[in-house]
Amino acid sequence: MLKIGVLASGRGSNFQAVLDAIKAGKIKSEIKVLISDKANAFALERAKQNGIEALHISAKAFPSMDEYFVAVAEELKKRDIGLVLLAGFMRIVRRPLLDAFPWKVMNIHPALLPSFPGLHGQQQAVDYGARISGCTVHFVDAGMDTGPVIIQAAVACNADDTEDTLSERILKYEHIIYPEAVRLFAEGRLDVKGRKVFIKDSRPYPTDAIINPPVE
Ligand code: GAR
């Protein structure tokens, strides 16, 4: 069975959404470890509450970020991890981790990439006056939020939205599409070719789909 490792810096609601989908039997896999770069991340508490190993690995303890990610990759390898999830992990992942897990690192981003990459994707959409934003699950490459897209969901943006109101609307869809992307991975249905992700046995999607492609 697929073993998952999660990296998180904050409250960990996406981690919780994936965990809930596993507990509900929707995804055949197990979260073995949660690693945080922040000692006070609520995600660490969530892990402990759910009997999942919780590790705090501070980047400050390492002379370089490359060395930090060597150490993180070693901890994940020790536990035979087959999929790494970035769930509100606020650092750019470096080569040592990506090379150890080729196309096995996923991220959730709170905007429709390639729009509004980096920090505060929701605030960027508000400031830009975008009418539609959303969220993206993608495989991670060495760039910032540039890897192949797996699933996206769109939400409306209103002129009076604030970062908070838009974030709340987007987050609901994050909690839907992240578990779905993990399920597709766990079922061996994701194929990366060039910068495109092909989903085996997926239905063709209607042009008015909110979640794109639709999930079964
Ligand atoms: C989520 O909105 C996620 O998309 C975002 O941080 C939040 C984490 O929430 N990630 C990024 O902005 C990555 N650049 P969570 O800790 O409750 O899952």
Side-chain angles (χ1 to χ4, degrees), residues 79-106:
R79 291 161 181 82
D80 196 23
I81 296 302
L83 175 64
V84 181
L85 300 180
L86 309 185
F89 184 67
M90 296 304 185
R91 290 181 185 275
I92 294 179
V93 171
R94 305 288 287 251
R95 282 267 178 226
L97 180 63
L98 299 176
D99 291 346
F101 294 93
W103 298 139
K104 288 179 180 172
V105 183
M106 274 186 198

Side-chain angles (χ1 to χ4, degrees), residues 19-197:
L19 185 59
D20 290 347
I22 291 171
K23 284 186 175 172
K26 292 180 190 160
I27 308 171
K28 305 262 173 299
S29 60
E30 184 190 357
I31 300 181
K32 290 295 278 184
V33 63
L34 179 126
I35 299 176
S36 183
D37 57 330
K38 299 271 183 261
N40 59 357
F42 186 62
L44 287 166
E45 289 309 311
R46 287 187 199 263
K48 288 176 203 157
Q49 283 164 15
N50 286 280
I52 293 168
E53 186 184 11
L55 289 183
H56 169 228
I57 308 180
S58 172
K60 293 188 193 116
F62 297 87
S64 71
M65 284 314 290
D66 272 5
E67 281 157 281
Y68 177 69
F69 282 107
V70 167
V72 170
E74 273 171 10
E75 292 298 337
L76 295 166
K77 284 284 174 194
K78 261 191 235 168
R79 291 161 181 82
D80 196 23
I81 296 302
L83 175 64
V84 181
L85 300 180
L86 309 185
F89 184 67
M90 296 304 185
R91 290 181 185 275
I92 294 179
V93 171
R94 305 288 287 251
R95 282 267 178 226
L97 180 63
L98 299 176
D99 291 346
F101 294 93
W103 298 139
K104 288 179 180 172
V105 183
M106 274 186 198
N107 182 42
I108 178 100
H109 181 76
L112 291 177
L113 293 171
S115 290
F116 314 131
L119 294 177
H120 302 291
Q122 307 97 326
Q123 181 72 59
Q124 292 183 57
V126 167
D127 292 347
Y128 194 86
R131 290 300 187 197
I132 296 176
S133 191
C135 45
T136 303
V137 182
H138 64 96
F139 283 114
V140 177
D141 65 9
M144 190 175 64
D145 300 324
T146 51
V149 170
I150 303 167
I151 304 183
Q152 295 184 305
V155 308
C157 300
N158 305 314
D160 60 356
D161 264 322
T162 63
E163 181 176 26
D164 283 351
T165 58
L166 183 59
S167 297
E168 194 185 331
R169 198 173 307 126
I170 291 173
L171 193 65
K172 287 191 187 129
Y173 284 91
E174 295 187 37
H175 295 166
I176 295 170
I177 68 172
Y178 213 2
E180 286 300 338
V182 174
R183 181 177 70 90
L184 292 168
F185 183 96
E187 292 174 2
R189 291 170 59 189
L190 300 181
D191 254 348
V192 183
K193 291 191 186 124
R195 65 155 297 109
K196 288 193 184 170
V197 177

Side-chain angles (χ1 to χ4, degrees), residues 193-205:
K193 291 191 186 124
R195 65 155 297 109
K196 288 193 184 170
V197 177
F198 292 86
I199 303 177
K200 286 180 209 152
D201 305 324
S202 72
R203 288 175 290 143
Y205 51 84

